[in-house]
Amino acid sequence: MLSRLPVLPALAFAIIVVLASPLAFVGIQAAQAGWDEADRLFSRPLISTLIWHTVELSLAVTLLTAVVGFGAAFLVERTDLPGRRTWTTLLALPLAVPEFVRGYSWVSLFRSVHGYWGAVLVMTCSLYPLVFLPVAATLRRGHSGAEEVSRSLGKGPWSTLWRVTLPLCRPALAGGALLVSLYLLGEYGAFAMLRYTTFATAIFTEYKLGFDAASASLLTLVLVGLALLLLGLEAASGHRGRVVVTSGSNRGARPARLGRGWLPAMAGLTAVVGLSLGVPLYALGYWLLKGSSTTLPSASVIGATFTSLGYAFAAAVVATAAAVPIALFAWRRNSRLARTAERLAYVTRALPGIAVALSVVFFAIRYAQPLYQQPPLLVTGYVILFFPLALTAVRAALAQVPPGVEEVARSLGTRPTLVLARVTLPLIRPGLGAALAMVALTASTELTATLLLRPTGTQTLATQFWVYTSGLAYGAAAPYAALMVAMSVPPVLLLTRRSLGADHPVETS
């Protein structure tokens, strides 16, 4: 049996070693700082302020994204809301707007949007799709029989929602909330524009302005500690339970009727889409018309577009392929070792992009000199940064696979590799598509690591946008921002189709 061979765990841990290399870099740099430097740094009053800012923001945004993401997914998948297919696309499209572009849009239109509440607003609008999509996929593919039984037993809609639907969505909801929390720990660009100081912005200052890698590594250790705490809380909550699917289709489920509730439901979704998608699109249109974008050389825009697409696609393929062994190992072996390996892959998401980039440069100079300032180095940085996105999508898809399906195939004499190719991978195909789209989406708009890892002379859309916005040339930056958004739309559509399927379940009377 393949699950009993050492190939899968060996491959999984080899990938973990690569993913954990930034942690080794941070540890080495922090050790070089010494205890005296650590005592001096952590005794500063600013440290407690940074911890409070980071934790306070993470709690608020994670809670709001969970509420908004789950509520939106429930409305489009379990009710008779008009235009559910259109709403699904509109609710996923905010993923196409990079966080620093969203921050620039709000700040340029509304000067009062800054600080804590500005960060809560902007980041909630940016990150709720990370909860919405996996929860919607779970609701669409999950069996609705338990909900129908609950209603037939006289349970009301709220009781059924709380006792049946919410537990069904626990793996996807917990995975999405974990991604949101880890993302917030490492975000820099949007917070810099919103003038909200967190650990990530302080670390960037130490790295970029003070050239103090040792002190910045000490601060990064705090982020790693917070990430480990999040992973521990997620593990303790038992959200990794497997959803049992007793049949392969949810078609025929009767959606709940909203009745008079359709108006507030439509108003709520309109507000979410307006804030998360309407404001950035209006700001881009405004600056395209009012700015000086018509003077830009078209060659630079086209070249940056193809460069961004190439690197993003390469990173998506590598990250998705690497996520499969780790997800399979954790799924087949429900052991402490397998769970530890899976959670280690999430820790690097809490690291700032600049810390990951410097670690890649650190190891490349010492152990892979020919790759220094070459394209594979930038792809490696993207894969390390966005691997948790691929792992979450693949893991959620595996949770939907009926238990014992692989054993049945093997009992018929099929070799393990053929079982993987003909049974397991087709069953998790929507998860693989979601992983590709999510990694490609995020990598195509990454900024901080790209600035350090790009080959000499290479410009992506994000780096060109940052150059112009740093000089307050908002009009010149607008075409690059608009292209990043437009370029991300097809992957978002693919993401929704792959993860949710082509259509909603057909209602039967």
Side-chain angles (χ1 to χ4, degrees):
M1 296 174 66
L2 181 62
S3 60
R4 293 179 180 176
L5 294 176
V7 176
L8 187 60
L11 183 58
F13 276 99
I15 295 169
I16 290 293
V17 168
V18 176
L19 295 174
S21 60
L23 297 176
F25 166 76
V26 170
I28 293 171
Q29 292 294 320
Q32 291 178 353
W35 289 108
D36 292 339
E37 176 63 17
D39 182 66
R40 183 195 66 79
L41 187 65
F42 290 119
S43 62
R44 292 161 59 185
L46 177 64
I47 298 301
S48 60
T49 302
L50 293 175
I51 292 177
W52 173 244
H53 279 191
T54 303
V55 172
E56 180 186 31
L57 182 71
S58 298
L59 287 175
V61 174
T62 302
L63 178 62
L64 287 173
T65 53
V67 172
V68 173
F70 177 81
F74 180 82
L75 286 174
V76 299
E77 296 298 331
R78 284 293 193 265
T79 71
D80 61 348
L81 182 81
R84 290 186 294 167
R85 179 184 293 183
T86 302
W87 280 116
T88 300
T89 303
L90 291 175
L91 288 164
L93 275 177
L95 278 177
V97 183
E99 287 71 25
F100 52 88
V101 171
R102 191 182 305 280
Y104 143 81
S105 301
W106 278 91
V107 170
S108 64
L109 292 179
F110 309 101
R111 301 285 182 180
S112 59
V113 176
H114 59 80
Y116 172 73
W117 291 110
V120 169
L121 172 65
V122 171
M123 298 311 294
T124 300
C125 292
S126 297
L127 300 179
Y128 81 82
L130 295 180
V131 177
F132 166 74
L133 283 173
V135 171
T138 298
L139 289 174
R140 183 169 296 190
R141 290 176 58 82
H143 199 278
S144 63
E147 293 165 281
E148 294 178 351
V149 169
S150 176
R151 286 194 289 267
S152 68
L153 293 176
K155 300 295 183 183
W158 290 108
S159 178
T160 301
L161 175 67
W162 180 257
R163 294 176 179 271
V164 181
T165 309
L166 196 56
L168 175 72
C169 299
R170 274 182 183 172
L173 190 59
L178 180 64
L179 279 180
V180 170
S181 301
L182 294 179
Y183 196 97
L184 289 168
L185 292 182
E187 173 61 23
Y188 166 74
F191 296 149
M193 288 192 173
L194 293 165
R195 288 175 287 164
Y196 186 73
T197 305
T198 65
F199 254 105
T201 59
I203 291 168
F204 186 89
T205 302
E206 293 286 347
Y207 264 132
K208 196 68 177 180
L209 302 182
F211 299 101
D212 190 350
S215 297
S217 296
L218 287 172
L219 294 177
T220 303
L221 285 179
V222 179
L223 280 187
V224 174
L226 291 174
L228 290 174
L229 176 63
L230 287 172
L231 293 172
L233 291 174
E234 193 266 351
S237 68
H239 286 173
R240 286 294 178 190
R242 176 180 294 177
V243 176
V244 177
V245 181
T246 54
S247 67
S249 174
N250 186 37
R251 295 187 182 278
R254 181 191 297 275
R257 299 195 180 280
L258 286 172
R260 295 180 180 177
W262 78 271
L263 185 58
M266 294 283 283
L269 293 183
T270 301
V272 170
V273 173
L275 292 174
S276 59
L277 192 62
V279 171
L281 293 182
Y282 175 80
L284 290 178
Y286 174 83
W287 286 112
L288 283 171
L289 294 175
K290 296 291 184 180
S292 55
S293 58
T294 55
T295 62
L296 288 174
S298 58
S300 68
V301 178
I302 296 173
T305 301
F306 281 104
T307 301
S308 300
L309 283 174
Y311 282 111
F313 182 73
V317 171
V318 176
T320 303
V324 172
I326 296 177
L328 275 176
F329 181 49
W331 180 64
R332 290 174 175 172
R333 305 278 188 88
N334 192 24
S335 63
R336 181 176 299 178
L337 183 65
R339 291 193 295 271
T340 301
E342 183 187 16
R343 282 164 175 75
L344 277 175
Y346 284 103
V347 176
T348 55
R349 191 64 190 92
L351 295 175
I354 192 169
V356 173
L358 287 175
S359 72
V360 172
V361 172
F362 175 84
F363 287 105
I365 290 176
R366 285 161 177 76
Y367 307 110
Q369 180 70 31
L371 294 179
Y372 182 64
Q373 289 194 328
Q374 295 299 315
L377 218 57
L378 181 55
V379 173
T380 302
Y382 285 162
V383 170
I384 293 174
L385 275 171
F386 305 122
F387 180 83
L389 296 175
L391 183 59
T392 297
V394 176
R395 191 69 176 87
L398 279 171
Q400 301 292 318
V401 176
V405 66
E406 288 188 316
E407 285 74 12
V408 171
R410 290 173 194 142
S411 69
L412 298 175
T414 308
R415 290 185 300 173
T417 52
L418 292 179
V419 172
L420 177 66
R422 295 178 179 178
V423 178
T424 310
L425 291 181
L427 285 174
I428 64 171
R429 190 179 301 157
L432 297 176
L436 281 169
M438 292 176 75
V439 174
L441 265 175
T442 316
S444 66
T445 58
E446 205 285 333
L447 175 64
T448 312
T450 310
L451 290 171
L452 292 179
L453 295 177
R454 59 182 169 162
T456 303
T458 298
Q459 289 287 1
T460 66
L461 291 171
T463 58
Q464 281 285 16
F465 171 83
W466 193 254
V467 168
Y468 285 119
T469 53
S470 299
L472 302 180
Y474 293 140
Y480 295 95
L483 272 173
M484 280 189 279
V485 174
M487 194 173 65
S488 299
V489 169
V492 168
L493 298 178
L494 174 64
L495 172 63
T496 54
R497 184 176 180 83
R498 287 286 189 181
S499 60
L500 303 181
D503 202 356
H504 286 84
V506 178
E507 179 183 355
T508 58
S509 58

